[in-house]
Amino acid sequence: MISFTDHEAITRQVYLYGYGMDQQDWEGYRQLFDDEVVVDYSSYSGGEPEVVATEQWIARLQSLFPGLDATQHSMTNPLVDLADDGDTARCRMYVRAAHFLNDWPEPEFTIGGYYDHRLRRTPDGWRFREVKLIVWWRRGDPELMVEARRRAAEA
């Protein structure tokens, strides 16, 4: 059985995961992770899950998000499971991630689905070990993301 304290701390980490991207608070975002993390965005962009240094993961986000006018990651319905060891957890949560370029012909690209994250307890609190996005639907022009990456590179 998971305690209310652990449930709240774990769900807060997932909310901060989206908030950190939306606010482009990369220093705060860094504090959410172990030194390396398994990233699985294969349902969004193909490929395979991979282990990356947290700094590398953040650099990838920094090559995209500054090129967008705004983003909003809305998350709901957290399902948190604590492993028998009490120090690892899984959190699944619905997500709707909206990305905006106000001057683009179709200014919004949104994906919906859920996150399925794995975390571990550390002396500094819960930290992400694995981040996984499962995309169920897409709406808008995905080329908006290509344009955002180009704009971020030029900035």
Side-chain angles (χ1 to χ4, degrees):
M1 182 73 148
I2 188 167
S3 71
F4 175 78
T5 303
D6 281 334
H7 187 277
E8 193 277 331
I10 291 165
T11 56
R12 180 176 174 80
Q13 289 297 91
V14 179
Y15 289 134
L16 288 171
Y17 179 87
Y19 184 82
M21 287 186 283
D22 293 339
Q23 297 300 310
Q24 298 182 43
D25 175 10
W26 307 121
E27 184 58 36
Y29 193 74
R30 167 68 183 94
Q31 303 306 311
L32 303 175
F33 295 88
D34 275 343
D35 290 334
E36 51 180 39
V37 62
V38 176
V39 175
D40 184 353
Y41 272 44
S42 58
S43 76
Y44 171 71
S45 57
E48 297 292 325
E50 59 182 322
V51 178
V52 298
T54 295
E55 297 306 326
Q56 181 184 359
W57 173 238
I58 292 171
R60 288 183 190 177
L61 298 176
Q62 289 174 316
S63 73
L64 170 65
F65 281 80
L68 292 159
D69 291 322
T71 62
Q72 185 175 30
H73 289 73
S74 301
M75 293 175 278
T76 64
N77 301 35
L79 296 173
V80 180
D81 297 305
L82 193 64
D84 289 340
D85 65 12
D87 289 328
T88 55
R90 177 183 186 189
C91 183
R92 291 165 287 161
M93 194 178 294
Y94 290 137
V95 62
R96 180 178 175 171
H99 310 83
F100 299 93
L101 274 180
N102 296 329
D103 62 352
W104 195 248
E106 190 170 347
E108 179 182 346
F109 176 65
T110 301
I111 59 175
Y114 69 97
Y115 284 124
D116 187 354
H117 295 322
R118 310 296 170 133
L119 301 94
R120 76 175 185 94
R121 187 189 312 269
T122 73
D124 297 318
W126 289 94
R127 299 293 182 256
F128 287 103
R129 296 179 335 155
E130 299 179 28
V131 295
K132 182 175 184 177
L133 171 66
I134 294 87
V135 176
W136 284 341
W137 57 268
R138 300 166 191 244
R139 180 179 66 204
D141 182 3
E143 289 300 310
L144 177 149
M145 302 298 273
V146 175
E147 176 64 11
R149 195 170 300 282
R150 186 192 65 75
R151 291 180 186 189
E154 290 180 356

